[in-house]
Amino acid sequence: EIDRIHAESYAQDLWSSRVTPSTFNAHIKFLTYLFKLLEVKADLRENVWSRIVRKDKAINQGRRSLTLDEITTILNRAQGNARLMLAIGVFTGLRLGDIANLRWDEIENDRYSRNPGPRPGLIVVLARKTSRRAKLVEIPIHPCLRTMLEEHRASVPGDYLFPKERELHSQNTSNLTDPFQEFFRSCEIQTTPTERDPQRRRALVTVGFHSLRHSFVTLAAKAGAPIHVLQKLVGHGSPMLTSEVYTHIDDSQKRSAVDPLPSFGVQ
């Protein structure tokens, strides 16, 4: 009984409620898939949701990578546990939740496989976001990070690297994300666009702790890491996600890709 008019009316009402382009597209994608499943059983003549035009995500850029100067600034200005957490984010690309819950027996040790045991030079984590798929993430330990971890180990002998931060994160994730946002602002790093998108209910956050994950992937890609290697390092299920969402290509990379092309005799 649902026809094109119903679908278009719903889509218009949904967009008028000021959801983001991603949320709008997710609604329409779900309804399209649902009606595809019902097509035979409900004897549908057409999938009216497949005709709804998706919204352009270009106005919803999301997180950006930090520049080298910005990364240097935050690592030099941060103190205590915050400095080590930021360093882990920069050198591993781990999410804040995984860092806050990081265990000492995940450092150079695999506690999750069928044959657990030492893994020298690696951090082995069962990513919380994809824990139901039991996806392990193995990340080499950068020499700078190794030094910091060894110093921290001497002062924190328990099971977890950050017991206080772990407790705060378990109570409410904003207990950690908000202070880091404030810290970035104190480093004169703009965390939200100067002009707010009127379509959004809340200001878009372009720089936060998750920006370190974007930075890790971007810098590793710029250093020549193949996309399939980056996919494994950050635990993505698809290289497309790594490439489209996390790998930010700057102008210098584009230039270095074009400049080596031959002239083909063109004057």
Side-chain angles (χ1 to χ4, degrees):
E1 297 175 356
I2 297 180
D3 56 24
R4 293 185 189 179
I5 296 178
H6 293 128
E8 291 172 357
S9 177
Y10 173 83
Q12 182 177 2
D13 183 68
L14 176 63
W15 185 242
S16 298
S17 69
R18 300 173 65 192
V19 296
T20 67
S22 294
T23 299
F24 177 90
N25 292 343
H27 274 252
I28 302 304
K29 181 179 179 181
F30 169 76
L31 289 168
T32 302
Y33 184 65
L34 174 63
F35 272 59
K36 182 179 180 180
L37 294 177
L38 295 174
E39 190 171 0
V40 176
K41 292 185 177 181
D43 193 25
L44 301 179
R45 286 177 291 181
E46 68 170 332
N47 191 332
V48 295
W49 302 104
S50 64
R51 296 179 176 273
I52 302 298
V53 178
R54 309 293 172 87
K55 299 300 180 182
D56 185 3
K57 292 185 179 181
I59 62 176
N60 182 23
Q61 295 295 332
R63 296 287 192 276
R64 71 167 176 85
S65 293
L66 297 175
T67 65
L68 293 178
D69 287 341
E70 288 173 334
I71 294 175
T72 301
T73 297
I74 64 174
L75 291 182
N76 285 333
R77 292 190 183 183
Q79 298 179 355
N81 288 356
R83 182 170 182 264
L84 179 56
M85 294 181 78
L86 288 166
I88 295 175
V90 168
F91 290 116
T92 70
L94 286 173
R95 299 179 180 88
L96 180 56
D98 291 327
I99 296 174
N101 289 274
L102 198 58
R103 300 172 56 99
W104 285 117
D105 57 6
E106 293 173 320
I107 309 297
E108 298 193 292
N109 184 68
D110 180 0
R111 62 188 296 265
Y112 299 102
S113 300
R114 292 181 179 178
N115 298 312
R119 293 301 304 277
L122 295 174
I123 296 177
V124 183
V125 178
L126 181 64
R128 294 165 62 84
K129 186 175 181 180
T130 55
S131 59
R132 60 187 175 85
R133 297 202 296 269
K135 180 177 293 186
L136 290 180
V137 178
E138 301 180 349
I139 312 163
I141 302 175
H142 189 279
C144 293
L145 181 58
R146 176 184 293 280
T147 300
M148 298 177 70
L149 288 171
E150 290 174 351
E151 294 175 352
H152 189 65
R153 182 66 180 264
S155 59
V156 184
D159 293 334
Y160 294 91
L161 276 68
F162 308 105
K164 179 181 177 181
E165 287 77 7
R166 176 175 178 267
E167 177 63 25
L168 289 172
H169 186 268
S170 68
Q171 295 172 2
N172 193 322
T173 57
S174 63
N175 287 336
L176 292 186
T177 56
D178 289 352
F180 276 115
Q181 287 292 112
E182 182 59 34
F183 171 70
F184 285 128
R185 288 191 287 268
S186 72
C187 293
E188 299 181 355
I189 298 175
Q190 189 170 322
T191 59
T192 57
T194 52
E195 295 184 5
R196 180 174 173 177
D197 182 354
Q199 178 60 36
R200 298 183 63 91
R201 293 173 177 172
R202 295 181 296 177
L204 174 68
V205 175
T206 55
V207 173
F209 196 96
H210 201 73
S211 296
L212 303 179
R213 183 171 172 86
H214 287 252
S215 304
F216 170 77
V217 174
T218 299
L219 292 173
K222 195 171 184 179
I227 194 67
H228 68 277
V229 174
L230 294 175
Q231 175 195 351
K232 294 297 183 181
L233 285 173
V234 293
H236 286 159
S238 166
M240 183 178 297
L241 176 62
T242 310
S243 177
E244 293 187 356
V245 179
Y246 284 91
T247 307
H248 304 269
I249 306 300
D250 59 28
D251 290 340
S252 63
Q253 290 171 277
K254 295 175 184 177
R255 176 59 58 189
S256 57
V258 173
D259 285 347
L261 296 177
S263 61
F264 302 106
V266 178
Q267 300 296 329

